Amino acid sequence: MKRILLTLSAALSVMTAVAQNREVLVRDVERAEAVRDSIAEELNSRRAEYLRDAARRTELGVSILTLEQALRDAQKGYEGLVAQVSKHDASVALADYRNAATSQNSEEQSQPKEQAYTPDKSRLRRNLVDNDYFVERLSEADYQTLREAQKRERVAQQYIDKYMKHYAELLALQRRYMEVATREEADSVARLFRAKQSQLTSCDEAIEREWSSIYFNKMYIYDLLMEREKNVAMLDLSASGAAAAEREINEVSDLYASNALMGYNIRKKSLVSYETALASTLSLTTARDSLRSVAAELRNRDYRLSRLLLERRSFIVYEPIEVKGTTFYNTKNPIPHTKVYDYGTIYRVRIGLFKNRPNLIALRGVTPLSYTDAYNNGLYAYFVGGFRTEQEAKDGAAELKRMGFKAPVVAVWVDGDYYPTVDDMRRSQSLYNIEISGIATLSDDVKARILTHKNDCTISRIGSTFVVGTFEGKSAAEAVAADLRSVGNGITVEVVKKP
């Protein structure tokens, strides 16, 4: 396509030449005609691709608009060169030209001139494409393409209505998910939500498929007619409107729930605006007034729908420390295993590690108790309470210490991972590695610099990247990274949080 446009530019520049002989002009005419035909061939090829390849319709649509403008420019260039040939012939043989011109004028006067389209007011129709202008000036195949595109607008609207219905149902499920009290209920709602999301995606794809075909087919037929009518003003309006619509679509891409709905709304407004201008140009007043009503309705539609996602919920049961007596737990109400939640954070107070299960009297009647042997090499760890915050857990530990427990310790679970102390959790959450790239091997100098800072570093390789770690805290990693960057020689050093 770029080659064709460059050739077109060269052909158009010929028009500004001051003096050329007839042979050169004729060659230029032939060349301009070939350029025009090449662009027309390329344009037809892109239109065929557009109908076949739904995934590339946005890209191909822009390309089609560019080629259509190029074709108009090529036609202008061709006609200008043909005019120069006529002018050249006139200067060479003025007398012959006058005789020929006189003869030609006589013939033209004897023949009726083609009249501009004047609609029969008794047959004006509200639907633009139902008017006789299109029936009379289009081939049967082109008119059927236009009629089919018009008919498919109802199908596209049905998909849009279905999308809005599914979206409302999805919004209700999102609200319900945030209100249910148990994980079982939440999981059930989440399954319904995912199924409804799938239906929404299907509608979204159908809207994009239907509307892209409608829009580009209609604009193609309208531009085809305006080219035949040599209506440059309408062709320019078509090109500028389409370009503005594509810019707006790119600006809002991925900002809202549906790119297809946003694209529909923007292109529909652009199309209706152009159809209104077309109806005015053709004096189709009934269709023009109808289209103005459609435009007013479109201005009241808003498809800027928020994206709907389910934020993962935590269903942790938090319980304060209480004293219920040494008989609260018994053979009928045994101390339960410590429950581990796969999402969320919970603090508990560990009151002891035991090789064997302790006597209940030693636990002083505190509740809620739980135990596990999953940590600490199989020792029984007993925990009290369940707290939302670190401070609540610290207050609970202080209370247990006053009750006589020797060394209560605040432990924490984060998304199912256990940390014996809060400090362990903090260290884990602030671990960093250094990633080194840009070199094939680590030199002895680089290794020595690393070990100087931290002699227990591990060095591994992932693909072409060397990973050095682990550092507690970003500042410690940055100090080593700064030293390594001073080595130079194309080395790239980055500090990254350990996953």
Side-chain angles (χ1 to χ4, degrees):
M1 177 177 166
K2 185 180 288 185
R3 176 182 59 78
I4 291 173
L5 296 180
L6 289 173
T7 308
L8 168 64
S9 177
L12 291 177
S13 67
V14 175
M15 295 177 61
T16 62
V18 177
Q20 297 181 75
N21 61 46
R22 192 178 192 284
E23 290 181 2
V24 173
L25 279 171
V26 170
R27 284 198 299 271
D28 289 337
V29 168
E30 293 172 349
R31 195 157 43 241
E33 185 177 18
V35 169
R36 182 196 63 187
D37 293 345
S38 296
I39 295 173
E41 183 179 349
E42 180 75 8
L43 179 58
N44 289 333
S45 174
R46 295 296 173 89
R47 283 169 176 160
E49 284 185 71
Y50 170 82
L51 294 174
R52 288 195 308 268
D53 192 347
R56 297 178 57 221
R57 278 182 177 161
T58 300
E59 169 199 342
L60 290 168
V62 174
S63 176
I64 287 169
L65 293 173
T66 302
L67 283 168
E68 286 174 344
Q69 182 61 52
L71 184 59
R72 290 193 285 272
D73 292 340
Q75 181 63 28
K76 289 179 186 177
Y78 171 75
E79 291 172 356
L81 288 168
V82 170
Q84 285 196 38
V85 171
S86 298
K87 185 177 179 181
H88 185 278
D89 289 346
S91 65
V92 173
L94 182 58
D96 291 341
Y97 173 77
R98 284 176 176 172
N99 291 335
T102 302
S103 174
Q104 185 178 354
N105 288 337
S106 298
E107 291 177 6
E108 288 178 353
Q109 290 173 6
S110 65
Q111 296 176 2
K113 292 185 178 179
E114 183 179 350
Q115 298 296 316
Y117 175 71
T118 304
D120 181 350
K121 292 186 178 180
S122 66
R123 300 179 63 189
L124 291 178
R125 296 176 174 87
R126 287 176 58 80
N127 190 323
L128 177 65
V129 303
D130 285 345
N131 284 278
D132 292 343
Y133 173 85
F134 300 98
V135 180
E136 295 168 1
R137 280 165 168 72
L138 288 171
S139 68
E140 184 177 349
D142 284 341
Y143 185 65
Q144 285 305 315
T145 297
L146 182 60
R147 289 283 298 153
E148 182 64 21
Q150 181 70 32
K151 187 165 64 175
R152 297 299 295 179
E153 288 207 39
R154 290 194 295 272
V155 177
Q157 187 59 53
Q158 288 171 357
Y159 281 122
I160 292 168
D161 294 341
K162 190 179 293 186
Y163 183 99
M164 299 302 290
K165 176 176 176 290
H166 288 326
Y167 183 88
E169 292 169 348
L170 202 65
L171 182 61
L173 285 172
Q174 183 192 49
R175 290 169 179 163
R176 183 178 165 194
Y177 177 82
M178 298 306 295
E179 293 169 356
V180 295
T182 68
R183 176 168 296 282
E184 290 72 20
E185 290 177 293
D187 289 343
S188 176
V189 174
R191 285 192 293 272
L192 292 173
F193 186 92
R194 286 191 292 271
K196 188 60 65 178
Q197 267 187 324
S198 178
Q199 293 177 319
L200 204 65
T201 300
S202 296
C203 283
D204 193 75
E205 292 170 351
I207 293 166
E208 175 65 28
R209 182 178 63 251
E210 290 290 335
W211 183 247
S212 292
S213 176
I214 292 164
Y215 174 78
F216 287 112
N217 277 323
K218 275 193 154 189
M219 293 304 294
Y220 163 65
I221 297 297
Y222 293 150
D223 284 352
L224 183 67
L225 284 168
M226 293 300 98
E227 284 175 5
R228 291 175 183 171
E229 298 287 340
K230 296 183 173 55
N231 192 327
V232 177
M234 288 301 294
L235 290 170
D236 288 345
L237 181 63
S238 168
S240 61
E246 294 308 313
R247 284 195 300 271
E248 188 175 354
I249 288 170
N250 289 333
E251 287 172 1
V252 301
S253 179
D254 296 328
L255 294 181
Y256 302 101
S258 172
N259 284 340
L261 268 182
M262 294 302 296
Y264 160 80
N265 189 245
I266 293 167
R267 286 197 180 115
K268 176 70 173 176
K269 288 177 180 177
S270 176
L271 177 62
V272 169
S273 176
Y274 182 77
E275 288 180 322
T276 304
L278 184 60
S280 295
T281 298
L282 301 176
S283 300
L284 301 173
T285 53
T286 304
R288 179 203 62 197
D289 294 343
S290 176
L291 286 163
R292 284 175 176 170
S293 298
V294 174
E297 182 185 345
L298 285 171
R299 285 193 291 271
N300 294 325
R301 295 185 188 177
D302 189 357
Y303 294 112
R304 293 172 296 179
L305 306 175
S306 301
R307 293 167 175 269
L308 297 182
L309 299 172
L310 291 186
E311 296 182 8
R312 194 175 182 188
R313 287 189 59 190
S314 172
F315 290 89
I316 293 176
V317 177
Y318 298 103
E319 300 175 278
I321 295 174
E322 296 182 73
V323 178
K324 293 188 175 180
T326 56
T327 60
F328 181 76
Y329 292 107
N330 50 54
T331 54
K332 292 185 178 180
N333 181 36
I335 297 174
H337 284 279
T338 303
K339 185 170 182 178
V340 178
Y341 298 93
D342 63 356
Y343 181 68
T345 300
I346 184 170
Y347 298 86
R348 296 186 175 103
V349 181
R350 190 180 71 236
I351 56 175
L353 292 173
F354 305 93
K355 186 174 182 180
N356 298 303
R357 303 278 294 274
N359 190 308
L360 291 177
I361 295 175
L363 301 179
R364 296 177 173 79
V366 295
T367 65
L369 280 168
S370 66
Y371 79 95
T372 180
D373 59 355
Y375 319 112
N376 305 294
N377 297 317
L379 294 177
Y380 291 102
Y382 278 75
F383 299 93
V384 184
F387 304 96
R388 188 183 302 273
T389 67
E390 180 184 346
Q391 187 57 54
E392 289 174 348
K394 285 182 176 179
D395 293 343
E399 183 180 344
L400 289 168
K401 198 165 188 177
R402 286 193 295 271
M403 291 175 61
F405 290 94
K406 293 183 178 179
V409 177
V410 175
V412 59
W413 284 258
V414 179
D415 296 340
D417 293 328
Y418 170 68
Y419 300 96
T421 69
V422 173
D423 286 341
D424 289 327
M425 177 194 69
R426 289 203 179 101
R427 278 194 295 271
S428 173
Q429 292 183 339
S430 60
L431 298 179
Y432 289 82
N433 286 334
I434 294 174
E435 293 185 355
I436 304 171
S437 58
I439 52 176
T441 58
L442 286 183
S443 66
D444 292 338
D445 181 29
V446 171
K447 292 178 182 177
R449 286 170 183 258
I450 293 171
L451 297 176
T452 298
H453 290 274
K454 196 173 190 298
N455 59 18
D456 61 344
C457 272
T458 61
I459 301 174
S460 59
R461 183 168 185 166
I462 302 176
S464 60
T465 301
F466 294 92
V467 179
V468 181
T470 301
F471 299 87
E472 294 182 5
K474 191 173 183 179
S475 59
E478 285 289 5
V480 180
D483 191 11
L484 296 178
R485 291 186 188 106
S486 68
V487 174
N489 298 325
I491 186 172
T492 300
V493 182
E494 293 183 356
V495 174
V496 296
K497 198 171 188 303
K498 188 175 179 180

